[in-house]
Amino acid sequence: MVEIRLTNSKTRRKEVFEPIDPSNVRMYVCGPTVYDRAHLGNARPVVVFDMLNRLLRHVYGDDHVTYVRNFTDVDDKINATALSRKEAGATGTLEDLIAERTEETIGWYHADMDALGTLRPNHEPRATGYIGQMVAMIEGLIAKGHAYEAEGHVLFSVGSYPEYGALSGRSVEDMIAGARVEVAPYKRDPMDFVLWKPSSDDLPGWDSPWGRGRPGWHIECSAMADELLGAEFDIHGGGIDLQFPHHENEIAQSCCAHPEGGFARVWLHNEMLQVEGKKMSKSLGNFFTVRDLLDQGVPGEVIRFVFLGTHYRKPMDWTEKKRAEAEATLRKWYDLAGGAPEGEVGGSVIAALADDLNTSQAIAECHKLAASDGSGLKATLRFLGLMGDDVPDWVDSGTVDLSAQAEALAAAREEAMASKDFSRVDAMKADLVAAGVEVRMSKAGVELVPGPGFDPSKLQGLT
Ligand code: AMP
Ligand code: ZN
């Protein structure tokens, strides 16, 4: 069996992955808050953990992996969006408008993430479907002395859990200094965080032993993971921005509610997609959505390829250069894969992924497959989520025709053979290479292939 190694944020080490139960490998990933279209940064964890899901399925079998990714559908931003629509004259109750908004957003999310070649998880629980489990978990925490009620709120008592902060390796003092910890009169300690809060009459709420209210964000993941994966499971993933406080809080809640469990054994965090050195985020306003790119004609496979080019633990930028290179490489591979022997998923590609999801190495291995007889390339591209059953449609529609340039170059070469003056041939070659075209000249003729970095605009004016 292939040995998978993963960098566990909890131990800060690369470890051999040993599932609790190889017949049911279990993974939970924090999903989106569904109030708006996903931006490109939001898509990064989706692609990263899709790759891990695919690897686990390859190694342990399709029916032996349970992948859960939630939808957070209880949130102030969702309420605010619905409220502003109501104020703008939309008909229906606020509850209807909230339901409409979440439904619509989940539909967009599915369409956008499907376009990136990501497989749907086995379970996509919505927080609103698990309120009963959240209430039960909170009651258990109160009973064990880990939580307390104050003015309609229930708070987790951070002081009751000495291991708090172990995941991010921070001291409580650092956490208070570094985070915008909300100070509230009903908190015994500024670090304590909300498990349950009251809802005003005009906002969604559920009955509970503490009055009508709604859950805090962190308890949602703890309750859904427990219900669907049990008190102990293999992998928990999400972006590094969630490590503190969200994941620390999930651990505190789950480990205190189920001390027999231990919650997730391996924690994986993807680094951020950046724009000029800053995290892409809605609040900074420096974002564009996955849909924006798709609408501009950037194929999902190209977006996915660009993501795979950077290791998940490194920050990355989206650049036009990467897009162009990804497209040129994929065109070349699709062309090769069409005529190559079927073969199997490349073992070297699996080995690269098994080494802490080294996706850029996996791409390097694909280049090697492509450079040999292309055998296995098709199966590998399918496995990597870069191709469905067939080559994607966009490949044909935008194929560049370099035959005119190839003919001109062949004619120039013929003249040069007679005149022994190759300067014009060399200049033409240099122009083509500068435009990112690979020039192959042999006795049989001239072949021009768009290479990585191919830029059709640079061909204009060349003869
Ligand atoms: P949110 O809806 O903001 O809670 O984010 C959903 C997921 O996207 C979480 O796993 C975040 O860690 C992740 N995420 C948000 N912004 C970025 C970014 N710029 N780069 C990578 N991941 C991100
Ligand atoms: Zn979560």
Side-chain angles (χ1 to χ4, degrees):
M1 183 168 287
V2 176
E3 186 177 272
I4 299 178
R5 281 175 299 149
L6 298 170
T7 300
N8 187 352
S9 309
K10 198 154 110 179
T11 58
R12 292 165 194 78
R13 278 203 311 265
K14 206 196 264 192
E15 296 170 351
V16 173
F17 175 65
E18 286 175 39
I20 300 166
D21 173 6
S23 72
N24 185 18
V25 181
R26 288 160 289 159
M27 170 160 83
Y28 185 95
V29 174
C30 295
T33 305
V34 281
Y35 68 102
D36 209 352
R37 286 252 185 217
H39 64 61
L40 192 66
N42 297 136
R44 191 170 187 203
V46 182
V47 172
V48 165
F49 293 104
D50 177 69
M51 218 44 260
L52 180 55
N53 180 36
R54 285 169 180 266
L55 177 67
L56 293 171
R57 274 165 208 279
H58 181 84
V59 173
Y60 295 97
D62 249 341
D63 300 331
H64 301 292
V65 178
T66 308
Y67 174 21
V68 178
R69 187 185 62 217
N70 70 291
F71 285 119
T72 296
D73 60 350
V74 184
D75 185 78
D76 288 339
K77 289 185 284 266
I78 306 175
N79 298 342
T81 317
L83 211 55
S84 65
R85 283 191 60 199
K86 195 168 166 64
E87 279 159 11
T91 50
T93 63
L94 188 65
E95 227 116 277
D96 293 340
L97 292 173
I98 287 172
E100 245 170 56
R101 184 67 182 180
T102 47
E103 250 355 281
E104 187 179 34
T105 312
I106 289 172
W108 290 336
Y109 192 78
H110 277 150
D112 296 350
M113 300 308 140
D114 290 354
L116 302 186
T118 63
L119 305 173
R120 300 257 180 113
N122 300 83
H123 301 281
E124 296 183 283
R126 300 178 188 196
T128 48
Y130 293 78
I131 303 287
Q133 287 87 340
M134 294 171 205
V135 169
M137 198 175 230
I138 297 170
E139 285 182 302
L141 288 170
I142 295 176
K144 290 193 175 87
H146 290 294
Y148 59 95
E149 187 192 354
E151 298 176 29
H153 293 72
V154 182
L155 292 133
F156 184 91
S157 165
V158 168
S160 76
Y161 182 59
E163 286 86 359
Y164 191 83
L167 177 70
S168 43
R170 303 175 194 219
S171 67
V172 169
E173 293 74 41
D174 286 352
M175 289 186 275
I176 293 178
R180 274 168 289 156
V181 175
E182 197 194 340
V183 184
Y186 47 80
K187 283 188 183 181
R188 289 184 194 160
D189 183 308
M191 284 301 289
D192 294 350
F193 58 87
V194 167
L195 299 172
W196 189 266
K197 58 189 162 195
S199 265
S200 55
D201 290 343
D202 56 339
L203 286 178
W206 291 264
D207 289 329
S208 82
W210 319 288
R212 187 172 172 280
R214 58 207 158 111
W217 169 38
H218 317 298
I219 196 75
E220 297 177 7
C221 286
S222 283
M224 290 186 274
D226 181 59
E227 179 70 19
L228 295 164
L229 298 176
E232 185 161 37
F233 55 92
D234 298 293
I235 300 171
H236 192 311
I240 190 76
D241 55 335
L242 301 186
Q243 189 176 36
F244 174 79
H246 182 55
H247 291 159
E248 292 286 5
N249 294 357
E250 282 189 37
I251 293 175
Q253 296 161 159
S254 295
C255 290
C256 290
H258 302 289
E260 75 289 359
F263 205 44
R265 286 201 176 172
V266 181
W267 283 83
L268 292 187
H269 290 104
N270 64 274
E271 254 297 345
M272 295 292 101
L273 182 93
Q274 301 183 334
V275 182
E276 287 166 12
K278 290 212 174 69
K279 171 189 168 186
M280 176 181 280
S281 74
K282 292 255 164 73
S283 52
L284 287 176
N286 60 350
F287 70 94
F288 46 90
T289 65
V290 175
R291 183 50 51 181
D292 290 335
L293 283 182
L294 295 170
D295 286 349
Q296 284 161 23
V298 183
E301 291 85 356
V302 170
I303 302 175
R304 185 177 177 97
F305 187 100
V306 170
F307 276 138
L308 297 183
T310 303
H311 191 258
Y312 75 96
R313 296 179 64 236
K314 295 206 179 96
M316 71 169 281
D317 280 316
W318 171 269
T319 64
E320 170 52 28
K321 184 163 175 272
K322 287 184 189 171
R323 185 211 59 75
E325 283 174 5
E327 183 174 332
T329 304
L330 282 173
R331 280 184 188 281
K332 192 165 77 182
W333 287 355
Y334 292 143
D335 192 35
L336 272 168
E342 188 65 37
E344 285 180 6
V345 180
S348 59
V349 172
I350 299 293
L353 294 174
D355 180 15
D356 199 23
L357 282 186
N358 194 340
T359 48
S360 54
Q361 184 59 35
I363 288 178
E365 298 299 336
C366 286
H367 277 294
K368 289 186 203 157
L369 286 182
S372 59
D373 69 348
S375 165
L377 186 59
K378 204 189 279 182
T380 304
L381 293 178
R382 284 197 189 115
F383 168 71
L384 290 174
L386 292 170
M387 184 174 153
D389 287 340
D390 296 310
V391 166
D393 295 343
W394 59 266
V395 176
D396 291 334
S397 53
T399 308
V400 268
D401 182 4
L402 294 173
S403 58
Q405 286 84 352
E407 267 170 41
L409 186 58
R413 183 171 67 157
E414 216 153 276
E415 270 175 36
M417 301 275 234
S419 69
K420 303 279 180 251
D421 174 7
F422 281 85
S423 56
R424 179 141 182 273
V425 173
D426 290 340
M428 285 169 86
K429 263 169 72 178
D431 285 343
L432 288 162
V433 170
V437 178
E438 279 179 31
V439 181
R440 298 175 193 160
M441 294 174 94
S442 66
K443 280 197 193 114
V446 172
E447 199 192 347
L448 301 182
V449 187
F454 173 57
D455 181 355
S457 66
K458 290 200 184 141
L459 288 177
Q460 279 160 19
L462 297 187
T463 47

